Amino acid sequence: MPEMPQMKNRRRWDIFCTVVDNFGDIGVTWRLARQLVAEHAMDVRLWVDDLRAFERLCPAIDLNLSQQWQEGVEVRHWTADWQPTDAADVVIAAFACQLPSAYMEAMAAREKPPLWLNLDYLSAEDWVVGCHGLPSVKYKNVQKFFFFPGFQKGTGGLLRESGLLERRRQFQQDPEAQRAFLQGLGIDRAQGAQLISLFAYENAGLASWLDVLAADSVPTHLLVPEGRILGDVERWLGVEGLAAGAVHVRESLTVQVLPFVRQDQYDHLLWCCDFNAVRGEDSFVRAQWAGRPLLWHIYRQDEDIHLDKLEAFLTLYTKGLSAPAREAISGLWQEWNAGHDMSDHWATTRKHWPELQKHAEAWCLEQALQADLAAALVQFYLNWI
Ligand code: TRH
């Protein structure tokens, strides 16, 4: 494959990603890498240890190549058999992954040490503001810094591509574009049906939610990308082997299984839906940019520390809501994350729908006032040199 032309004075960035599980690690780093190339004219190498996980988000990935270019990003398969390479100007270890020792030596061997950053997990907790940008460990002459994404001023912000909200709004104001997009995924939205997307981990509370949706007077079309929640959906439907394309109707509820789509298509799906159930980190942020009410299934952590993160986000997110609406949405999220019965909380949440809809857009606009994460990283680098 021909090498991409290198422009003089372009800064070189290396982003290292180990796929711990699921798609968030590669989802975040792939999005960041593309944005650094497209909007900041950086040369980016993305080192990833699991090309199969990457292929789900980016079907163009060739599993057999150790080096390839995708959307301007140089993708390197990071294997145990590390080949010597020069260190870049900026080195990002995503989510505290451990860099190859030979690469650490290459960083230390540079005449001017690189900027070395640990890109952390997203959290709304208050301590993040105090820790963002602080020095971490040092390797020889190379200092590492903490870089925290976040929702508050003083954090690294959220990933948001330039013009994203304008594109989203245009699409949401264009019923024909939405219809064509949905049709491309084999979705024929029933007249008057609310659209809900469901991307979540296994959840014992799902059956109670589906019961209410089925019994509701308002029809619902539930769109479920292939993934971990399908087992719960199968149990509720009383079927086995659900796969993309399957459609099942139970009273007012139509359940449709979707293929896992490219990241930009997933954005469009979120933009089409009236309500989005999302999980982890990246889909959670994308649902916020969709400007629609959402439900977050947070990634479970040892000793339930994820519950502190959930509460911290709810405290921030629900500011400005009336007390009953705040209680409704907080209760719904808490029950979902505990795997409890959703029926009462769903009914209460529905009562505050117009307020929650307005609030979702207001929250999105408020978050968009912050510099986006890629711009904040570039600024951090400029300040550092
Ligand atoms: O997949 P996730 O649960 O990922 C993670 C990881 O588990 C990670 O280890 C953990 O630390 C982190 O959560 C908090 O959820 P997430 O972050 O939403 O990532 C999913 C990615 O998949 C995201 O980039 C959106 C993308 N996606 C698509 O591209 N197409 C699809 O059809 C769907 C459903 C998702």
Side-chain angles (χ1 to χ4, degrees):
M1 179 176 294
E3 191 143 342
M4 292 276 290
Q6 305 279 311
M7 266 171 61
K8 263 201 178 142
N9 295 328
R10 282 169 72 115
R11 293 290 162 210
R12 292 191 302 120
W13 293 53
D14 273 331
I15 302 177
F16 287 85
C17 170
T18 50
V19 176
V20 179
D21 57 7
N22 306 318
F23 305 104
D25 311 293
I26 184 61
V28 167
T29 49
W30 170 228
R31 197 181 286 292
L32 171 64
R34 276 179 297 166
Q35 204 185 339
L36 286 169
V37 169
E39 296 176 25
H40 300 280
M42 303 296 170
D43 282 330
V44 181
R45 287 191 295 196
L46 174 57
W47 300 86
V48 53
D49 65 348
D50 182 350
L51 291 183
R52 271 188 199 284
F54 196 174
E55 191 195 20
R56 296 294 302 280
L57 279 77
C58 175
I61 285 289
D62 187 333
L63 297 177
N64 300 312
L65 292 179
S66 57
Q67 181 188 32
Q68 57 193 296
W69 276 265
Q70 298 291 346
E71 301 188 37
V73 175
E74 181 180 344
V75 175
R76 292 289 196 101
H77 191 191
W78 176 11
T79 58
D81 170 30
W82 181 260
Q83 299 300 315
T85 185
D86 285 349
D89 302 301
V90 185
V91 179
I92 297 182
F95 313 122
C97 71
Q98 190 63 41
L99 304 187
S101 48
Y103 188 86
M104 307 256 285
E105 289 303 333
M107 290 202 298
R110 276 178 59 116
E111 199 179 317
K112 176 161 174 35
L115 172 62
W116 180 23
L117 297 166
N118 182 58
L119 175 62
D120 269 278
Y121 285 111
L122 175 62
S123 171
E125 290 161 298
D126 283 340
W127 59 262
V128 165
V129 177
C131 293
H132 172 60
L134 289 186
S136 164
V137 293
K138 208 168 179 183
Y139 180 73
K140 296 188 175 171
N141 56 339
V142 192
Q143 177 68 56
K144 190 178 190 182
F145 294 89
F146 293 108
F147 196 96
F148 281 93
F151 304 93
Q152 305 195 66
K153 219 167 164 241
T155 68
L158 302 172
L159 280 170
R160 171 172 43 85
E161 297 82 358
S162 156
L164 178 75
L165 299 194
E166 291 76 6
R167 286 196 297 283
R168 186 265 284 177
R169 248 175 254 125
Q170 226 168 41
F171 184 75
Q172 286 178 336
Q173 285 163 6
D174 187 343
E176 186 44 40
Q178 290 177 54
R179 201 193 53 76
F181 168 76
L182 291 172
Q183 213 166 45
L185 289 178
I187 302 161
D188 199 359
R189 182 185 191 156
Q191 192 81 35
Q194 61 177 346
L195 269 192
I196 298 183
S197 76
L198 173 61
F199 182 47
Y201 308 114
E202 297 78 1
N203 196 316
L206 180 70
S208 61
W209 187 22
L210 300 188
D211 283 344
V212 198
L213 293 175
D216 203 337
S217 55
V218 179
T220 299
H221 198 139
L222 184 75
L223 305 170
V224 194
E226 281 184 307
R228 290 175 53 176
I229 191 83
L230 276 194
D232 294 305
V233 178
E234 284 177 350
R235 267 185 292 285
W236 185 79
L237 286 170
V239 301
E240 280 179 12
L242 275 186
V247 182
H248 292 265
V249 181
R250 298 285 184 276
E251 300 170 76
S252 291
L253 176 62
T254 303
V255 177
Q256 181 163 0
V257 182
L258 301 183
F260 203 89
V261 293
R262 287 197 326 265
Q263 275 186 331
D264 63 310
Q265 286 185 302
Y266 182 60
D267 270 343
H268 284 80
L269 180 70
L270 296 173
W271 300 350
C272 285
C273 288
D274 303 292
F275 187 70
N276 292 300
V278 285
R279 71 183 205 193
E281 179 159 331
D282 192 52
S283 59
F284 172 50
V285 172
R286 303 317 280 186
Q288 292 169 57
W289 296 139
R292 299 269 164 89
L294 69 149
L295 175 63
W296 183 27
H297 202 181
I298 192 169
Y299 183 76
R300 198 173 267 279
Q301 285 177 284
D302 291 343
E303 294 167 27
D304 280 351
I305 53 173
H306 60 286
L307 295 181
D308 295 336
K309 292 186 180 174
L310 182 71
E311 288 311 316
F313 181 77
L314 279 172
T315 304
L316 278 187
Y317 181 74
T318 59
K319 265 187 202 147
L321 279 174
S322 67
R326 183 168 59 238
E327 277 160 33
I329 195 78
S330 301
L332 187 77
W333 285 34
Q334 283 152 351
E335 295 302 82
W336 185 236
N337 280 284
H340 289 166
D341 192 302
M342 296 280 282
S343 34
D344 289 350
H345 285 90
W346 179 248
T348 327
T349 301
R350 290 296 298 174
K351 283 192 195 135
H352 301 285
W353 207 245
E355 185 181 347
L356 291 169
Q357 281 176 316
K358 257 177 82 180
H359 183 73
E361 183 67 43
W363 169 263
C364 170
L365 295 182
E366 185 190 323
Q367 286 302 313
L369 294 177
Q370 273 212 83
D372 69 84
L373 189 128
L377 275 168
V378 171
Q379 192 56 54
F380 194 92
Y381 171 67
L382 293 175
N383 295 345
W384 177 79
I385 51 171

